[in-house]
């Protein structure tokens, strides 16, 4: 069974930079896994921030960026704002099926 | 504007089935895949499967094979997710979300709470 692993929780100071990662039990994550990143705030539906590794939607704040880093998919927040406190979920493609990571709870403190 | 509007909350008994609908508007229905994702209380997101509205082809997560059926009605731009043999662990919010083929996820529905309780 394929497992996608994210950091359970991270804490960052306002204005700081933080990188969330997304690893696959099958090996290095490449662009063929088409990583997507979702942000979810309490009581809200998740919204997509990043698609296909590094592409942003029109609603994605410029401070969010996606990449591949050390064999993982990565989401970097630069100049973190208090409103970025949320759960972040990554999603990877496995040839016909998709698998979510367990999510990272980001605290801005 | 793109909208995915889901059906309302459901309460079901164990062993029953549930149907959740997702009505699309604001775009050409057959140009995007539709996925179903669920989130149990306090848990992460779980991908259930997807349907290609063009031809009705489906892919289901192995965990739900045999219990889930996804269908579509192109005349009303609606996709349906049927889940059978419900158990308490199926209590969750169910979301539909669209994908442009090639891994571009964008819009999603508002979510539908399904509660399974005796």
């Amino acid at each position: 069974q394929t497992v996608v692993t994210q950091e359970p929780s991270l804490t960052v100071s306002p204005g700081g930079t933080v990188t969330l990662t997304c690893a696959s039990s099958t090996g290095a994550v490449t662009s063929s896994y088409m990583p997507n990143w979702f942000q979810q705030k309490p009581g809200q539906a998740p919204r997509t921030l990043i698609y296909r590794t590094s592409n942003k939607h029109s609603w994605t704040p410029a401070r969010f960026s996606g990449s591949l880093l050390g064999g993982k998919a990565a989401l970097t927040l630069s100049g973190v704002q208090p409103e970025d406190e949320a759960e972040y979920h990554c999603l990877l493609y496995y040839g016909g099926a998709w698998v979510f990571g367990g999510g990272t709870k980001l605290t801005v403190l | 504007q793109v909208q995915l509007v889901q059906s309302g909350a459901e309460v079901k008994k164990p062993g029953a089935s549930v149907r959740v609908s997702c009505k699309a508007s604001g775009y050409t229905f057959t140009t995007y895949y539709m996925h179903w994702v669920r989130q149990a209380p306090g848990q992460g997101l779980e991908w259930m499967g997807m349907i290609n509205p063009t031809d009705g082809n489906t892919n289901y997560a192995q965990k739900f094979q045999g219990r889930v059926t996804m269908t579509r009605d192109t005349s009303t731009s609606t996709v349906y997710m049927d889940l059978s043999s419900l158990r308490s662990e199926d209590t969750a919010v169910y979301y539909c979300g669209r994908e442009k083929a090639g891994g571009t996820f964008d819009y999603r529905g508002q979510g539908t709470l399904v509660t399974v309780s005796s």
Side-chain angles (χ1 to χ4, degrees):
Chain A
Q1 176 179 327
T2 302
V3 177
V4 177
T5 302
Q6 299 180 243
E7 297 86 359
S9 63
L10 291 170
T11 300
V12 61
S13 300
T17 297
V18 64
T19 297
L20 289 65
T21 66
C22 178
S24 172
S25 62
T26 60
V29 175
T30 65
S31 58
S32 64
Y33 286 76
M34 297 190 283
N36 277 252
W37 288 92
F38 300 80
Q39 179 192 60
Q40 187 176 29
K41 296 184 179 180
Q44 296 184 16
R47 67 165 183 165
T48 319
L49 294 176
I50 301 289
Y51 61 95
R52 285 191 286 114
T53 304
S54 58
N55 295 277
K56 300 180 188 182
H57 288 294
S58 58
W59 55 79
T60 304
R63 60 184 179 275
F64 289 86
S65 63
S67 65
L68 297 175
L69 201 60
K72 301 178 184 180
L75 176 69
T76 299
L77 290 71
S78 304
V80 171
Q81 301 297 306
E83 61 265 29
D84 297 333
E85 183 163 295
E87 189 92 9
Y88 292 84
H89 308 269
C90 68
L91 178 64
L92 300 180
Y93 178 67
Y94 292 88
W98 294 82
V99 180
F100 278 99
T104 296
K105 179 172 172 51
L106 182 67
T107 300
V108 181
L109 205 56
Chain B
Q1 72 283 21
V2 174
Q3 282 195 303
L4 301 177
V5 179
Q6 297 183 221
S7 48
E10 302 267 9
V11 180
K12 296 291 183 181
K13 293 197 182 303
S17 297
V18 69
R19 165 169 279 200
V20 181
S21 66
C22 173
K23 183 172 175 58
S25 62
Y27 70 99
T28 303
F29 180 62
T30 52
T31 58
Y32 285 78
Y33 299 153
M34 197 69 78
H35 295 252
W36 289 92
V37 171
R38 76 178 188 179
Q39 186 170 38
Q43 303 299 310
L45 300 175
E46 183 172 31
W47 183 78
M48 299 180 68
M50 58 163 286
I51 184 167
N52 182 343
T54 297
D55 55 16
N57 283 346
T58 55
N59 278 330
Y60 302 138
Q62 193 170 5
K63 173 177 178 175
F64 299 101
Q65 293 272 2
R67 263 205 324 140
V68 71
T69 304
M70 296 176 190
T71 57
R72 93 290 190 216
D73 182 342
T74 55
S75 68
T76 60
S77 298
T78 302
V79 297
Y80 301 93
M81 189 281 296
D82 295 301
L83 189 62
S84 62
S85 302
L86 290 169
R87 36 210 187 230
S88 58
E89 308 89 89
D90 294 317
T91 294
V93 177
Y94 290 76
Y95 297 100
C96 61
R98 72 172 199 175
E99 177 217 350
K100 187 75 172 174
T104 302
F105 285 81
D106 51 19
Y107 292 92
R108 76 296 184 263
Q110 81 276 19
T112 296
L113 175 62
V114 175
T115 302
V116 182
S117 174
S118 54

